Amino acid sequence: MDHAAEHLDPTAPAPSSASSSAVAEVNAWLASLAAEAGGAGGAGGRGGGAAAELSLGPDPTPRGVAYLRALAAASQARSRAAGIAAAGLRAQAAEYRAEAARLREALERAGLSRDALPPPAAAAARAVAAVANLLAIRDTEMSSFVVASADLSLRRAEVEEKRDKVHKESKALLDYTRKAINKLTELKKMLEKFKNDVEKQQEEQMADWQTKLVMMDSKERQYILQVSNYKAMLNRVGYTPEINHGVLMEMAEHKKDLERKTKPIADTLRSYQDLPPDKALAALAIEDKKRQYAAAEKYLEDVLQSALTTTGL
């Protein structure tokens, strides 16, 4: 069969042109097939028509001719193998018929023909024949029955072993199926629980989001109001978009510079705050301050003089 498959490989490269011998060989094979079909149908004229129909056309392709030639070779090889096998089977059948005739003749001579046997003996013979057919033995020798019985016992042991194995596998499969069903039940319960938890969590989350949205809405209104207030305040103080951070920093530096320059003047003015507003009173106050200053100087000189005198002693 593998050899025929090699011949029937459609991927094999086809010859460049179909030779006349190959075409004739294929036509002969097709004609033989048509003849066999016509002979089997029992109509000669019909077979001739089939032969005409099964011939190649006037311009066959090289690939088609090569494929049909390989198919013809495979068919002829199988036909020869089938013929050899049929001849062998016919020869065995002839031997079995001759053996049966000799056994029948020997039984008739001994008075043990089928018609001469009593019903119990005939039933026993039929039982022996049925057992022989069942055990696939062709004689009535005891050894053949023993060998067949042993073979049957071995087959029974193999069948029992296979049955035990299948029983174990089926039991294991049943246990696995039960575990899978239990696991599936648990998973369904977990899924239901998760669905309930998810729904509850979603409800809680939605409530939380609604609360946060209300709060954010109130915050938004508050921020909008604050922005409006800040804009009004900036408009009041004369803020313009041209006043940016850099300008404010420059103004702050200028303010510090002005404060540094005006601080001595402010300190001087602060010292004049104790003076009375009248000019005469101011002159008297100045004279009083001068006397206090002279008295303080005299007191300081006395203290220094006393300190020097004490140090000299």
Side-chain angles (χ1 to χ4, degrees):
M1 185 173 182
D2 297 337
H3 181 70
E6 293 177 359
H7 284 287
L8 295 176
D9 187 6
T11 61
S16 60
S17 62
S19 62
S20 58
S21 61
V23 173
E25 184 179 351
V26 172
N27 284 329
W29 175 64
L30 293 175
S32 65
L33 290 179
E36 291 178 0
R46 186 178 178 183
E53 291 177 359
L54 288 177
S55 62
L56 290 175
D59 191 13
T61 61
R63 184 178 293 277
V65 172
Y67 189 84
L68 290 175
R69 187 178 183 184
L71 185 63
S75 177
Q76 291 172 0
R78 291 183 181 179
S79 298
R80 286 193 295 270
I84 294 171
L89 292 175
R90 283 194 293 270
Q92 289 181 1
E95 292 177 0
Y96 291 152
R97 285 195 294 270
E99 184 68 21
R102 286 194 296 271
L103 291 175
R104 189 180 299 109
E105 184 179 359
L107 290 174
E108 288 177 356
R109 289 177 182 177
L112 298 176
S113 62
R114 183 187 302 176
D115 298 334
L117 290 176
R126 284 194 296 273
V128 171
V131 172
N133 290 328
L134 179 63
L135 298 178
I137 57 178
R138 297 183 178 84
D139 52 37
T140 57
E141 297 291 336
M142 189 63 183
S143 59
S144 299
F145 280 95
V146 171
V147 172
S149 299
D151 189 17
L152 185 62
S153 299
L154 291 176
R155 292 181 182 179
R156 178 183 177 184
E158 292 178 358
V159 170
E160 288 180 353
E161 184 178 357
K162 291 181 180 179
R163 184 181 63 184
D164 293 339
K165 183 178 179 181
V166 171
H167 181 69
K168 291 179 181 179
E169 291 179 355
S170 61
K171 186 177 180 181
L173 182 60
L174 181 60
D175 294 338
Y176 181 77
T177 304
R178 288 175 180 173
K179 292 179 181 178
I181 292 173
N182 294 332
K183 190 67 175 178
L184 179 61
T185 305
E186 293 178 1
L187 290 176
K188 286 183 178 180
K189 291 181 180 178
M190 292 175 64
L191 179 61
E192 191 67 25
K193 181 180 178 182
F194 288 156
K195 284 183 179 180
N196 296 332
D197 294 342
V198 168
E199 291 178 358
K200 184 178 179 181
Q201 186 177 2
Q202 287 180 351
E203 292 176 358
E204 293 177 354
Q205 192 171 9
M206 287 299 294
D208 188 20
W209 285 353
Q210 289 178 357
T211 305
K212 290 181 178 179
L213 285 175
V214 173
M215 182 179 65
M216 291 175 67
D217 189 20
S218 63
K219 287 288 186 182
E220 182 182 5
R221 291 195 296 270
Q222 180 183 355
Y223 293 154
I224 291 173
L225 182 60
Q226 289 180 357
V227 169
S228 300
N229 295 333
Y230 291 152
K231 285 182 178 179
M233 184 176 66
L234 291 175
N235 291 329
R236 285 196 303 271
V237 299
Y239 175 79
T240 59
E242 290 79 9
I243 301 176
N244 52 22
H245 181 72
V247 175
L248 293 176
M249 292 298 295
E250 290 178 0
M251 293 176 65
E253 292 293 334
H254 184 62
K255 180 183 176 183
K256 290 181 180 180
D257 190 16
L258 292 175
E259 288 178 351
R260 185 172 59 255
K261 290 179 179 180
T262 57
K263 185 177 180 182
I265 300 173
D267 293 339
T268 304
L269 292 175
R270 197 176 294 111
S271 64
Y272 293 155
Q273 288 179 357
D274 296 335
L275 295 175
D278 191 6
K279 184 177 180 181
L281 294 176
L284 291 175
I286 292 172
E287 290 296 332
D288 186 30
K289 291 291 184 181
K290 288 180 177 180
R291 285 194 299 271
Q292 291 179 3
Y293 181 72
E297 286 182 350
K298 187 176 183 305
Y299 176 75
L300 181 60
E301 289 177 358
D302 294 339
V303 171
L304 291 175
Q305 188 63 34
S306 62
L308 291 173
T309 303
T310 305
T311 305
L313 294 175

PDB file of all heavy atoms in Angstrom, residues 112-145:
ATOM      1  N   LEU A 112     -21.949 -43.724  12.959  1.00  0.00           N
ATOM      2  CA  LEU A 112     -22.085 -42.493  13.759  1.00  0.00           C
ATOM      3  C   LEU A 112     -22.418 -41.309  12.882  1.00  0.00           C
ATOM      4  O   LEU A 112     -22.004 -40.163  13.158  1.00  0.00           O
ATOM      5  CB  LEU A 112     -20.778 -42.224  14.526  1.00  0.00           C
ATOM      6  CG  LEU A 112     -20.353 -43.285  15.551  1.00  0.00           C
ATOM      7  CD1 LEU A 112     -19.011 -42.922  16.152  1.00  0.00           C
ATOM      8  CD2 LEU A 112     -21.413 -43.406  16.648  1.00  0.00           C
ATOM      9  N   SER A 113     -23.183 -41.536  11.831  1.00  0.00           N
ATOM     10  CA  SER A 113     -23.563 -40.410  10.982  1.00  0.00           C
ATOM     11  C   SER A 113     -24.532 -39.495  11.728  1.00  0.00           C
ATOM     12  O   SER A 113     -25.095 -39.844  12.766  1.00  0.00           O
ATOM     13  CB  SER A 113     -24.201 -40.921   9.686  1.00  0.00           C
ATOM     14  OG  SER A 113     -25.382 -41.653   9.997  1.00  0.00           O
ATOM     15  N   ARG A 114     -24.732 -38.307  11.159  1.00  0.00           N
ATOM     16  CA  ARG A 114     -25.575 -37.322  11.845  1.00  0.00           C
ATOM     17  C   ARG A 114     -27.001 -37.827  11.982  1.00  0.00           C
ATOM     18  O   ARG A 114     -27.643 -37.637  13.024  1.00  0.00           O
ATOM     19  CB  ARG A 114     -25.559 -36.021  11.069  1.00  0.00           C
ATOM     20  CG  ARG A 114     -26.352 -34.905  11.740  1.00  0.00           C
ATOM     21  CD  ARG A 114     -26.450 -33.693  10.857  1.00  0.00           C
ATOM     22  NE  ARG A 114     -25.122 -33.190  10.486  1.00  0.00           N
ATOM     23  CZ  ARG A 114     -24.926 -32.175   9.648  1.00  0.00           C
ATOM     24  NH1 ARG A 114     -25.979 -31.590   9.077  1.00  0.00           N
ATOM     25  NH2 ARG A 114     -23.696 -31.779   9.366  1.00  0.00           N
ATOM     26  N   ASP A 115     -27.507 -38.503  10.949  1.00  0.00           N
ATOM     27  CA  ASP A 115     -28.892 -38.975  11.009  1.00  0.00           C
ATOM     28  C   ASP A 115     -29.036 -40.160  11.942  1.00  0.00           C
ATOM     29  O   ASP A 115     -30.109 -40.377  12.525  1.00  0.00           O
ATOM     30  CB  ASP A 115     -29.368 -39.372   9.600  1.00  0.00           C
ATOM     31  CG  ASP A 115     -29.350 -38.174   8.656  1.00  0.00           C
ATOM     32  OD1 ASP A 115     -29.473 -37.028   9.179  1.00  0.00           O
ATOM     33  OD2 ASP A 115     -29.195 -38.363   7.436  1.00  0.00           O
ATOM     34  N   ALA A 116     -27.937 -40.941  12.111  1.00  0.00           N
ATOM     35  CA  ALA A 116     -28.024 -42.143  12.948  1.00  0.00           C
ATOM     36  C   ALA A 116     -27.832 -41.837  14.425  1.00  0.00           C
ATOM     37  O   ALA A 116     -28.111 -42.697  15.279  1.00  0.00           O
ATOM     38  CB  ALA A 116     -26.978 -43.158  12.497  1.00  0.00           C
ATOM     39  N   LEU A 117     -27.330 -40.639  14.767  1.00  0.00           N
ATOM     40  CA  LEU A 117     -27.096 -40.321  16.172  1.00  0.00           C
ATOM     41  C   LEU A 117     -28.408 -40.046  16.888  1.00  0.00           C
ATOM     42  O   LEU A 117     -29.346 -39.460  16.313  1.00  0.00           O
ATOM     43  CB  LEU A 117     -26.199 -39.080  16.281  1.00  0.00           C
ATOM     44  CG  LEU A 117     -24.738 -39.250  15.869  1.00  0.00           C
ATOM     45  CD1 LEU A 117     -24.022 -37.902  15.939  1.00  0.00           C
ATOM     46  CD2 LEU A 117     -24.026 -40.255  16.789  1.00  0.00           C
ATOM     47  N   PRO A 118     -28.515 -40.482  18.143  1.00  0.00           N
ATOM     48  CA  PRO A 118     -29.710 -40.128  18.922  1.00  0.00           C
ATOM     49  C   PRO A 118     -29.728 -38.625  19.213  1.00  0.00           C
ATOM     50  O   PRO A 118     -28.706 -37.949  19.116  1.00  0.00           O
ATOM     51  CB  PRO A 118     -29.548 -40.944  20.206  1.00  0.00           C
ATOM     52  CG  PRO A 118     -28.102 -41.230  20.308  1.00  0.00           C
ATOM     53  CD  PRO A 118     -27.576 -41.320  18.906  1.00  0.00           C
ATOM     54  N   PRO A 119     -30.888 -38.112  19.581  1.00  0.00           N
ATOM     55  CA  PRO A 119     -30.968 -36.647  19.830  1.00  0.00           C
ATOM     56  C   PRO A 119     -29.972 -36.127  20.868  1.00  0.00           C
ATOM     57  O   PRO A 119     -29.350 -35.085  20.636  1.00  0.00           O
ATOM     58  CB  PRO A 119     -32.415 -36.451  20.278  1.00  0.00           C
ATOM     59  CG  PRO A 119     -33.152 -37.577  19.620  1.00  0.00           C
ATOM     60  CD  PRO A 119     -32.216 -38.744  19.635  1.00  0.00           C
ATOM     61  N   PRO A 120     -29.760 -36.829  22.015  1.00  0.00           N
ATOM     62  CA  PRO A 120     -28.751 -36.307  22.959  1.00  0.00           C
ATOM     63  C   PRO A 120     -27.352 -36.246  22.358  1.00  0.00           C
ATOM     64  O   PRO A 120     -26.612 -35.268  22.551  1.00  0.00           O
ATOM     65  CB  PRO A 120     -28.818 -37.268  24.135  1.00  0.00           C
ATOM     66  CG  PRO A 120     -30.183 -37.861  24.061  1.00  0.00           C
ATOM     67  CD  PRO A 120     -30.481 -37.985  22.596  1.00  0.00           C
ATOM     68  N   ALA A 121     -26.986 -37.298  21.612  1.00  0.00           N
ATOM     69  CA  ALA A 121     -25.664 -37.314  20.998  1.00  0.00           C
ATOM     70  C   ALA A 121     -25.537 -36.219  19.941  1.00  0.00           C
ATOM     71  O   ALA A 121     -24.500 -35.554  19.807  1.00  0.00           O
ATOM     72  CB  ALA A 121     -25.369 -38.682  20.391  1.00  0.00           C
ATOM     73  N   ALA A 122     -26.624 -36.026  19.164  1.00  0.00           N
ATOM     74  CA  ALA A 122     -26.601 -34.968  18.156  1.00  0.00           C
ATOM     75  C   ALA A 122     -26.482 -33.599  18.818  1.00  0.00           C
ATOM     76  O   ALA A 122     -25.737 -32.724  18.348  1.00  0.00           O
ATOM     77  CB  ALA A 122     -27.867 -35.043  17.301  1.00  0.00           C
ATOM     78  N   ALA A 123     -27.211 -33.407  19.948  1.00  0.00           N
ATOM     79  CA  ALA A 123     -27.111 -32.143  20.658  1.00  0.00           C
ATOM     80  C   ALA A 123     -25.708 -31.927  21.208  1.00  0.00           C
ATOM     81  O   ALA A 123     -25.145 -30.829  21.142  1.00  0.00           O
ATOM     82  CB  ALA A 123     -28.146 -32.089  21.788  1.00  0.00           C
ATOM     83  N   ALA A 124     -25.085 -33.017  21.730  1.00  0.00           N
ATOM     84  CA  ALA A 124     -23.726 -32.909  22.234  1.00  0.00           C
ATOM     85  C   ALA A 124     -22.754 -32.588  21.114  1.00  0.00           C
ATOM     86  O   ALA A 124     -21.823 -31.779  21.271  1.00  0.00           O
ATOM     87  CB  ALA A 124     -23.327 -34.204  22.935  1.00  0.00           C
ATOM     88  N   ALA A 125     -22.960 -33.225  19.935  1.00  0.00           N
ATOM     89  CA  ALA A 125     -22.087 -32.943  18.792  1.00  0.00           C
ATOM     90  C   ALA A 125     -22.223 -31.503  18.354  1.00  0.00           C
ATOM     91  O   ALA A 125     -21.230 -30.822  18.036  1.00  0.00           O
ATOM     92  CB  ALA A 125     -22.421 -33.883  17.638  1.00  0.00           C
ATOM     93  N   ARG A 126     -23.474 -31.012  18.331  1.00  0.00           N
ATOM     94  CA  ARG A 126     -23.663 -29.612  17.951  1.00  0.00           C
ATOM     95  C   ARG A 126     -23.018 -28.678  18.978  1.00  0.00           C
ATOM     96  O   ARG A 126     -22.440 -27.644  18.623  1.00  0.00           O
ATOM     97  CB  ARG A 126     -25.161 -29.319  17.830  1.00  0.00           C
ATOM     98  CG  ARG A 126     -25.778 -29.872  16.544  1.00  0.00           C
ATOM     99  CD  ARG A 126     -27.153 -29.273  16.312  1.00  0.00           C
ATOM    100  NE  ARG A 126     -28.102 -29.637  17.356  1.00  0.00           N
ATOM    101  CZ  ARG A 126     -28.850 -30.740  17.359  1.00  0.00           C
ATOM    102  NH1 ARG A 126     -28.772 -31.606  16.323  1.00  0.00           N
ATOM    103  NH2 ARG A 126     -29.691 -31.001  18.347  1.00  0.00           N
ATOM    104  N   ALA A 127     -23.106 -29.079  20.259  1.00  0.00           N
ATOM    105  CA  ALA A 127     -22.468 -28.259  21.294  1.00  0.00           C
ATOM    106  C   ALA A 127     -20.957 -28.246  21.123  1.00  0.00           C
ATOM    107  O   ALA A 127     -20.299 -27.199  21.253  1.00  0.00           O
ATOM    108  CB  ALA A 127     -22.841 -28.786  22.677  1.00  0.00           C
ATOM    109  N   VAL A 128     -20.392 -29.460  20.814  1.00  0.00           N
ATOM    110  CA  VAL A 128     -18.938 -29.519  20.586  1.00  0.00           C
ATOM    111  C   VAL A 128     -18.547 -28.671  19.381  1.00  0.00           C
ATOM    112  O   VAL A 128     -17.538 -27.939  19.398  1.00  0.00           O
ATOM    113  CB  VAL A 128     -18.490 -30.975  20.417  1.00  0.00           C
ATOM    114  CG1 VAL A 128     -17.038 -31.051  19.951  1.00  0.00           C
ATOM    115  CG2 VAL A 128     -18.651 -31.744  21.712  1.00  0.00           C
ATOM    116  N   ALA A 129     -19.378 -28.746  18.332  1.00  0.00           N
ATOM    117  CA  ALA A 129     -19.089 -27.950  17.136  1.00  0.00           C
ATOM    118  C   ALA A 129     -19.187 -26.452  17.444  1.00  0.00           C
ATOM    119  O   ALA A 129     -18.364 -25.647  16.987  1.00  0.00           O
ATOM    120  CB  ALA A 129     -20.051 -28.315  16.017  1.00  0.00           C
ATOM    121  N   ALA A 130     -20.205 -26.074  18.243  1.00  0.00           N
ATOM    122  CA  ALA A 130     -20.347 -24.657  18.603  1.00  0.00           C
ATOM    123  C   ALA A 130     -19.158 -24.174  19.429  1.00  0.00           C
ATOM    124  O   ALA A 130     -18.631 -23.068  19.221  1.00  0.00           O
ATOM    125  CB  ALA A 130     -21.652 -24.441  19.369  1.00  0.00           C
ATOM    126  N   VAL A 131     -18.713 -25.062  20.380  1.00  0.00           N
ATOM    127  CA  VAL A 131     -17.549 -24.697  21.187  1.00  0.00           C
ATOM    128  C   VAL A 131     -16.305 -24.599  20.319  1.00  0.00           C
ATOM    129  O   VAL A 131     -15.464 -23.688  20.489  1.00  0.00           O
ATOM    130  CB  VAL A 131     -17.353 -25.708  22.326  1.00  0.00           C
ATOM    131  CG1 VAL A 131     -16.039 -25.448  23.053  1.00  0.00           C
ATOM    132  CG2 VAL A 131     -18.507 -25.633  23.305  1.00  0.00           C
ATOM    133  N   ALA A 132     -16.165 -25.528  19.366  1.00  0.00           N
ATOM    134  CA  ALA A 132     -15.013 -25.490  18.463  1.00  0.00           C
ATOM    135  C   ALA A 132     -15.015 -24.215  17.620  1.00  0.00           C
ATOM    136  O   ALA A 132     -13.978 -23.571  17.421  1.00  0.00           O
ATOM    137  CB  ALA A 132     -15.015 -26.723  17.570  1.00  0.00           C
ATOM    138  N   ASN A 133     -16.201 -23.844  17.122  1.00  0.00           N
ATOM    139  CA  ASN A 133     -16.277 -22.591  16.357  1.00  0.00           C
ATOM    140  C   ASN A 133     -15.977 -21.385  17.244  1.00  0.00           C
ATOM    141  O   ASN A 133     -15.336 -20.421  16.809  1.00  0.00           O
ATOM    142  CB  ASN A 133     -17.667 -22.460  15.735  1.00  0.00           C
ATOM    143  CG  ASN A 133     -17.885 -23.471  14.620  1.00  0.00           C
ATOM    144  OD1 ASN A 133     -16.940 -23.847  13.918  1.00  0.00           O
ATOM    145  ND2 ASN A 133     -19.119 -23.923  14.449  1.00  0.00           N
ATOM    146  N   LEU A 134     -16.469 -21.457  18.481  1.00  0.00           N
ATOM    147  CA  LEU A 134     -16.218 -20.349  19.393  1.00  0.00           C
ATOM    148  C   LEU A 134     -14.741 -20.210  19.724  1.00  0.00           C
ATOM    149  O   LEU A 134     -14.211 -19.108  19.805  1.00  0.00           O
ATOM    150  CB  LEU A 134     -17.040 -20.537  20.677  1.00  0.00           C
ATOM    151  CG  LEU A 134     -16.875 -19.458  21.756  1.00  0.00           C
ATOM    152  CD1 LEU A 134     -17.350 -18.112  21.235  1.00  0.00           C
ATOM    153  CD2 LEU A 134     -17.647 -19.846  23.015  1.00  0.00           C
ATOM    154  N   LEU A 135     -14.070 -21.372  19.905  1.00  0.00           N
ATOM    155  CA  LEU A 135     -12.655 -21.352  20.252  1.00  0.00           C
ATOM    156  C   LEU A 135     -11.752 -21.306  19.036  1.00  0.00           C
ATOM    157  O   LEU A 135     -10.521 -21.310  19.191  1.00  0.00           O
ATOM    158  CB  LEU A 135     -12.310 -22.588  21.087  1.00  0.00           C
ATOM    159  CG  LEU A 135     -13.028 -22.711  22.449  1.00  0.00           C
ATOM    160  CD1 LEU A 135     -12.625 -24.009  23.145  1.00  0.00           C
ATOM    161  CD2 LEU A 135     -12.699 -21.524  23.335  1.00  0.00           C
ATOM    162  N   ALA A 136     -12.331 -21.278  17.817  1.00  0.00           N
ATOM    163  CA  ALA A 136     -11.572 -21.188  16.566  1.00  0.00           C
ATOM    164  C   ALA A 136     -10.603 -22.346  16.409  1.00  0.00           C
ATOM    165  O   ALA A 136      -9.423 -22.167  16.083  1.00  0.00           O
ATOM    166  CB  ALA A 136     -10.833 -19.853  16.485  1.00  0.00           C
ATOM    167  N   ILE A 137     -11.100 -23.593  16.641  1.00  0.00           N
ATOM    168  CA  ILE A 137     -10.282 -24.793  16.420  1.00  0.00           C
ATOM    169  C   ILE A 137     -10.958 -25.628  15.337  1.00  0.00           C
ATOM    170  O   ILE A 137     -12.177 -25.577  15.146  1.00  0.00           O
ATOM    171  CB  ILE A 137     -10.118 -25.612  17.724  1.00  0.00           C
ATOM    172  CG1 ILE A 137     -11.483 -25.993  18.298  1.00  0.00           C
ATOM    173  CG2 ILE A 137      -9.305 -24.849  18.735  1.00  0.00           C
ATOM    174  CD1 ILE A 137     -11.395 -26.836  19.539  1.00  0.00           C
ATOM    175  N   ARG A 138     -10.152 -26.392  14.611  1.00  0.00           N
ATOM    176  CA  ARG A 138     -10.644 -27.129  13.452  1.00  0.00           C
ATOM    177  C   ARG A 138     -10.583 -28.645  13.642  1.00  0.00           C
ATOM    178  O   ARG A 138     -10.720 -29.391  12.686  1.00  0.00           O
ATOM    179  CB  ARG A 138      -9.841 -26.732  12.205  1.00  0.00           C
ATOM    180  CG  ARG A 138      -9.988 -25.278  11.826  1.00  0.00           C
ATOM    181  CD  ARG A 138      -9.230 -24.961  10.557  1.00  0.00           C
ATOM    182  NE  ARG A 138      -9.394 -23.585  10.155  1.00  0.00           N
ATOM    183  CZ  ARG A 138      -8.683 -22.553  10.603  1.00  0.00           C
ATOM    184  NH1 ARG A 138      -7.711 -22.774  11.494  1.00  0.00           N
ATOM    185  NH2 ARG A 138      -8.917 -21.336  10.179  1.00  0.00           N
ATOM    186  N   ASP A 139     -10.314 -29.112  14.850  1.00  0.00           N
ATOM    187  CA  ASP A 139     -10.310 -30.565  15.102  1.00  0.00           C
ATOM    188  C   ASP A 139     -10.909 -30.804  16.474  1.00  0.00           C
ATOM    189  O   ASP A 139     -11.247 -29.875  17.216  1.00  0.00           O
ATOM    190  CB  ASP A 139      -8.889 -31.133  15.009  1.00  0.00           C
ATOM    191  CG  ASP A 139      -7.911 -30.363  15.888  1.00  0.00           C
ATOM    192  OD1 ASP A 139      -8.301 -29.932  16.988  1.00  0.00           O
ATOM    193  OD2 ASP A 139      -6.750 -30.173  15.462  1.00  0.00           O
ATOM    194  N   THR A 140     -11.052 -32.086  16.795  1.00  0.00           N
ATOM    195  CA  THR A 140     -11.664 -32.466  18.076  1.00  0.00           C
ATOM    196  C   THR A 140     -10.640 -33.047  19.032  1.00  0.00           C
ATOM    197  O   THR A 140     -10.988 -33.771  19.967  1.00  0.00           O
ATOM    198  CB  THR A 140     -12.777 -33.494  17.829  1.00  0.00           C
ATOM    199  OG1 THR A 140     -12.227 -34.624  17.133  1.00  0.00           O
ATOM    200  CG2 THR A 140     -13.902 -32.884  17.024  1.00  0.00           C
ATOM    201  N   GLU A 141      -9.368 -32.751  18.795  1.00  0.00           N
ATOM    202  CA  GLU A 141      -8.339 -33.233  19.691  1.00  0.00           C
ATOM    203  C   GLU A 141      -8.434 -32.525  21.043  1.00  0.00           C
ATOM    204  O   GLU A 141      -8.758 -31.338  21.134  1.00  0.00           O
ATOM    205  CB  GLU A 141      -6.946 -33.014  19.087  1.00  0.00           C
ATOM    206  CG  GLU A 141      -6.693 -33.777  17.809  1.00  0.00           C
ATOM    207  CD  GLU A 141      -6.613 -35.285  18.069  1.00  0.00           C
ATOM    208  OE1 GLU A 141      -6.302 -35.664  19.215  1.00  0.00           O
ATOM    209  OE2 GLU A 141      -6.868 -36.047  17.121  1.00  0.00           O
ATOM    210  N   MET A 142      -8.137 -33.284  22.107  1.00  0.00           N
ATOM    211  CA  MET A 142      -8.216 -32.734  23.456  1.00  0.00           C
ATOM    212  C   MET A 142      -7.169 -31.639  23.656  1.00  0.00           C
ATOM    213  O   MET A 142      -7.412 -30.633  24.350  1.00  0.00           O
ATOM    214  CB  MET A 142      -8.016 -33.850  24.489  1.00  0.00           C
ATOM    215  CG  MET A 142      -8.301 -33.424  25.910  1.00  0.00           C
ATOM    216  SD  MET A 142     -10.040 -32.969  26.070  1.00  0.00           S
ATOM    217  CE  MET A 142     -10.054 -32.423  27.778  1.00  0.00           C
ATOM    218  N   SER A 143      -6.024 -31.857  23.024  1.00  0.00           N
ATOM    219  CA  SER A 143      -4.965 -30.848  23.180  1.00  0.00           C
ATOM    220  C   SER A 143      -5.383 -29.514  22.591  1.00  0.00           C
ATOM    221  O   SER A 143      -5.092 -28.445  23.138  1.00  0.00           O
ATOM    222  CB  SER A 143      -3.685 -31.350  22.500  1.00  0.00           C
ATOM    223  OG  SER A 143      -3.922 -31.600  21.122  1.00  0.00           O
ATOM    224  N   SER A 144      -6.106 -29.570  21.452  1.00  0.00           N
ATOM    225  CA  SER A 144      -6.570 -28.325  20.836  1.00  0.00           C
ATOM    226  C   SER A 144      -7.542 -27.595  21.763  1.00  0.00           C
ATOM    227  O   SER A 144      -7.478 -26.375  21.942  1.00  0.00           O
ATOM    228  CB  SER A 144      -7.236 -28.613  19.499  1.00  0.00           C
ATOM    229  OG  SER A 144      -6.322 -29.226  18.604  1.00  0.00           O
ATOM    230  N   PHE A 145      -8.453 -28.378  22.399  1.00  0.00           N
ATOM    231  CA  PHE A 145      -9.388 -27.767  23.345  1.00  0.00           C
ATOM    232  C   PHE A 145      -8.657 -27.187  24.555  1.00  0.00           C
ATOM    233  O   PHE A 145      -9.009 -26.119  25.061  1.00  0.00           O
ATOM    234  CB  PHE A 145     -10.436 -28.799  23.804  1.00  0.00           C
ATOM    235  CG  PHE A 145     -11.551 -29.001  22.823  1.00  0.00           C
ATOM    236  CD1 PHE A 145     -11.513 -30.028  21.898  1.00  0.00           C
ATOM    237  CD2 PHE A 145     -12.631 -28.131  22.818  1.00  0.00           C
ATOM    238  CE1 PHE A 145     -12.548 -30.204  20.997  1.00  0.00           C
ATOM    239  CE2 PHE A 145     -13.670 -28.313  21.915  1.00  0.00           C
ATOM    240  CZ  PHE A 145     -13.627 -29.355  20.998  1.00  0.00           C
TER     241      PHE A 145
END
